[in-house]
Amino acid sequence: MFEELEKVEQDCLNCKKCPLCKTRKNIVFSDGIPNNNLVLVGEAPGFWEDEKGLPFVGRAGQLLDKIFESVGLSRKKDVYICNTIKCRPPNNRNPLPEEKEACRSFLDTQLEILKPKIVLLCGSVALNSFLPNIGGITRVRGKWFEGKSFDGINKAKMMPIFHPSYLLRNDSR
């Protein structure tokens, strides 16, 4: 599994499928522990993620780590984290459809290698990438959906959750 993911990451490093490759400092491939139990799919790298080459390392990542800790999880032992796209969009805007499409093969390959049982879709971009047209994040967050089969047999359970950056802006949530 590790070798397969390393090959996909290497392919990602050489990617020039969209213009974001010209402005990135680093690709943001993944963090955490590769496992087939729990994968969190975020939206897109931000400033700090682009700087460090890891997902969720800014303020939102600190909050995400606290949320994990509150339920007895750790990104280093229990969760594999990746994003819908691997390069930072300018000014932290949402990724464009063509950028998501250009990066989709990397994300799909990561998930096919891992064959997760549970996928947390973190934010509306991740939600719409996997479960389009089911409603907005506020309406569907915290609900279980049957997702794609990554092993040809069992379908992953998917749950949309608020993105930690949204929670930082709206602490009443």
Side-chain angles (χ1 to χ4, degrees), residues 92-152:
N92 291 342
R93 65 160 166 74
N94 284 341
L96 301 174
E98 56 270 21
E99 293 163 347
K100 287 178 20 179
E101 182 60 33
C103 240
R104 187 59 192 239
S105 65
F106 298 120
L107 176 59
D108 284 347
T109 303
Q110 283 174 292
L111 295 173
E112 286 166 12
I113 291 167
L114 295 167
K115 298 173 183 39
K117 294 177 183 113
I118 296 173
V119 178
L120 296 177
L121 303 172
C122 190
S124 61
V125 171
L127 167 65
N128 292 323
S129 294
F130 285 92
L131 302 170
N133 307 317
I134 65 159
I137 189 79
T138 302
R139 199 183 100 219
V140 301
R141 65 142 171 98
K143 296 179 181 173
W144 289 105
F145 295 89
E146 193 168 287
K148 183 178 174 184
S149 173
F150 298 111
D151 62 5

Side-chain angles (χ1 to χ4, degrees), residues 19-40:
L20 294 180
C21 69
K22 296 174 187 163
T23 58
R24 71 178 177 223
K25 189 169 204 170
N26 289 292
I27 66 155
V28 179
F29 190 72
S30 69
D31 194 20
I33 185 78
N35 71 85
N36 68 346
N37 290 318
L38 181 58
V39 172
L40 181 133

Side-chain angles (χ1 to χ4, degrees), residues 55-106:
F56 288 98
V57 292
R59 286 183 55 226
Q62 293 167 8
L63 178 57
L64 181 65
D65 289 343
K66 287 179 184 174
I67 292 168
F68 285 153
E69 287 172 22
S70 76
V71 294
L73 297 175
S74 159
R75 79 164 66 202
K76 296 298 178 199
K77 291 190 244 174
D78 306 297
V79 184
Y80 183 83
I81 302 172
C82 56
N83 284 313
T84 57
I85 68 169
K86 311 304 181 195
C87 299
R88 177 184 180 220
N91 302 313
N92 291 342
R93 65 160 166 74
N94 284 341
L96 301 174
E98 56 270 21
E99 293 163 347
K100 287 178 20 179
E101 182 60 33
C103 240
R104 187 59 192 239
S105 65
F106 298 120

